[in-house]
Amino acid sequence: MSPEEAEKMTYESIMYGYRHIDTAAVYRNEEAVGVGLKKAMKELNLDREDIFVTTKLWPGGLMKLDRVKDFEGTIKSFEKSLFKLGLDYIDLYLIHSPHAKKKRIEQWQALIDIKEQNNVKYIGVSNWGINHLEELVQNNLPLPDANQIELHPWSQKLELVKYLREKEIDIIAYSSLVPLSTWRHKYGENSKKTSEMQKISDDDNSPFKRLAFKYKVTEAQILLKWALELGYSVLPKSIQTKRMQDNFNMNFSISQDDMNYITTLDRGGSVTWEYGDPLMVE
Ligand SMILES: NC(=O)c1ccc[n+]([C@@H]2O[C@H](COP(=O)([O-])OP(=O)(O)OC[C@H]3O[C@@H](n4cnc5c(N)ncnc54)[C@H](OP(=O)(O)O)[C@@H]3O)[C@@H](O)[C@H]2O)c1
């Protein structure tokens, strides 16, 4: 979201009932999120504890000239995010991706340090695979509180999910709405796979259209409810007020038979990252 969209939608979504806001240094909208948050909190008379704010360290190392953050760089980056958001603590601070390879451990140690200083409630990672998490185990380091990953019926990552559950690492799903024909259709926000995906979801007989008809909800609601039924947190993004409101209405349940059927729709891999799947980074 642009800063303007982020400020407006943060404000509107909190006013509507959302309480978890997800941003990141690399989204360049933390200041705007902070402004929208404060405005809504003031109007609703909310305490800081009533909301849950996640932001992320950009680790660097993804492209040329993308400087990798060391321990100090990580601390500085965190302080910048805190300042931009205008908060005195962050609820959940994540390492955005595992790309920093040689500095991953150092960055994680910096997050542990930040938590010890009580500047964050929880620390975690995003787009990390089992190999990256096992690296922490080998270094006798505490495991993350959460892993934020691309998860939807076309990308179910069953092995990783099983591992995260065993290790009691909370699962936060992003890009839940990938199977919709309207998912990031605009130039600039789409992924290389968007047009291939759209062909499947445009089909009037698509599984999610049929399920939406059956439950008298939207396809987006089916996709979000699927994730919630499995115990994942979700982060639906919309710059449209009506959609933001619809995405919040989860007042129905999906039968076990239909949940089992959706499990069969897994296509493996991921869709969102333009620069290759972070889960595949060594
Ligand atoms: N950690 C990571 O690496 C990572 C990566 C990607 C995303 N994320 C996080 O996850 C959030 C959501 O992910 P996302 O933006 O990839 O995708 P998403 O929430 O799955 O889908 C957003 C797309 O779907 C459309 N949409 C939203 N609600 C809809 C509805 N009810 N009906 C039809 N279309 C609808 C939106 O268009 P409109 O806006 O026009 O409604 C937008 O194009 C992001 O904002 C970000 O916070 C994290």
Side-chain angles (χ1 to χ4, degrees):
M1 289 190 196
S2 69
E4 294 72 25
E5 291 164 349
E7 181 181 329
K8 176 176 178 282
M9 295 315 294
T10 301
Y11 168 75
E12 285 191 13
S13 60
I14 297 285
M15 292 302 287
Y16 196 69
Y18 283 78
R19 290 294 177 265
H20 178 189
I21 299 292
D22 182 81
T23 182
V26 79
Y27 302 166
R28 297 171 196 267
N29 60 19
E30 288 169 308
E31 268 163 337
V33 165
V35 174
L37 260 180
K38 281 213 195 81
K39 195 173 157 211
M41 286 171 72
K42 195 171 170 202
E43 281 181 37
L44 294 175
N45 209 11
L46 295 178
D47 292 329
R48 172 66 184 87
E49 294 70 37
D50 295 330
I51 51 158
F52 190 96
V53 179
T54 299
T55 192
K56 316 182 193 84
L57 168 82
W58 184 249
L62 183 56
M63 293 164 283
K64 270 189 190 164
L65 304 178
D66 186 14
R67 201 172 50 83
V68 177
K69 311 271 183 336
D70 59 9
F71 188 94
E72 282 306 317
T74 301
I75 304 274
K76 274 193 194 137
S77 197
F78 170 77
E79 284 167 354
K80 243 190 227 170
S81 288
L82 196 62
F83 178 75
K84 284 186 175 172
L85 281 158
L87 298 172
D88 50 12
Y89 69 87
I90 301 291
D91 294 275
L92 175 62
Y93 194 52
L94 306 174
I95 301 180
H96 206 140
S97 102
H99 280 97
K101 289 188 187 173
K102 289 181 190 153
K103 297 267 184 214
R104 261 199 305 263
I105 294 291
E106 207 170 314
Q107 292 176 352
W108 184 241
Q109 282 166 328
L111 261 63
I112 294 170
D113 194 69
I114 293 166
K115 192 178 179 185
E116 280 168 5
Q117 309 294 323
N118 288 325
N119 290 325
V120 291
K121 293 224 157 145
Y122 304 98
I123 51 174
V125 295
S126 178
N127 298 301
W128 281 37
I130 295 174
N131 54 329
H132 311 120
L133 294 159
E134 277 298 302
E135 197 178 62
L136 302 182
V137 175
Q138 278 150 27
N139 282 277
N140 285 320
L141 288 167
L143 285 170
D145 294 312
N147 190 11
Q148 186 185 120
I149 48 177
E150 181 186 330
L151 271 182
H152 45 80
W154 287 351
S155 178
Q156 300 189 28
K157 303 188 170 70
L158 295 175
E159 199 193 343
L160 176 56
V161 163
K162 182 169 174 278
Y163 177 91
L164 295 172
R165 287 199 162 124
E166 277 166 13
K167 301 284 184 194
E168 297 182 344
I169 298 172
D170 276 4
I171 302 170
I172 305 172
Y174 74 71
S175 297
S176 300
L177 306 179
V178 163
L180 296 184
S181 58
T182 44
W183 184 79
R184 292 203 205 169
H185 61 285
K186 277 185 255 157
Y187 180 75
E189 61 175 27
N190 50 356
S191 92
K192 277 183 183 154
K193 291 193 189 166
T194 302
S195 54
E196 175 199 334
M197 296 291 160
Q198 276 175 348
K199 272 184 216 140
I200 313 166
S201 29
D202 271 342
D203 181 349
D204 279 342
N205 202 27
S206 84
F208 303 111
K209 284 202 173 70
R210 280 189 279 117
L211 287 167
F213 182 76
K214 174 174 170 183
Y215 288 93
K216 299 187 174 55
V217 293
T218 63
E219 286 175 81
Q221 286 166 319
I222 293 286
L223 293 164
L224 294 166
K225 190 67 188 185
W226 169 83
L228 293 177
E229 300 271 20
L230 292 173
Y232 309 151
S233 299
V234 288
L235 308 165
K237 171 262 169 190
S238 181
I239 55 165
Q240 302 186 34
T241 304
K242 171 78 173 66
R243 285 179 175 176
M244 175 273 284
Q245 295 180 348
D246 281 351
N247 294 345
F248 191 74
N249 179 8
M250 291 288 113
N251 208 5
F252 69 105
S253 48
I254 303 178
S255 74
Q256 192 54 52
D257 279 355
D258 287 331
M259 287 297 288
N260 294 344
Y261 165 63
I262 297 174
T263 308
T264 66
L265 303 176
D266 193 10
R267 298 172 147 256
S270 296
V271 174
T272 54
W273 278 66
E274 195 74 0
Y275 303 99
D277 189 343
L279 291 170
M280 305 303 283
V281 173
E282 285 163 29

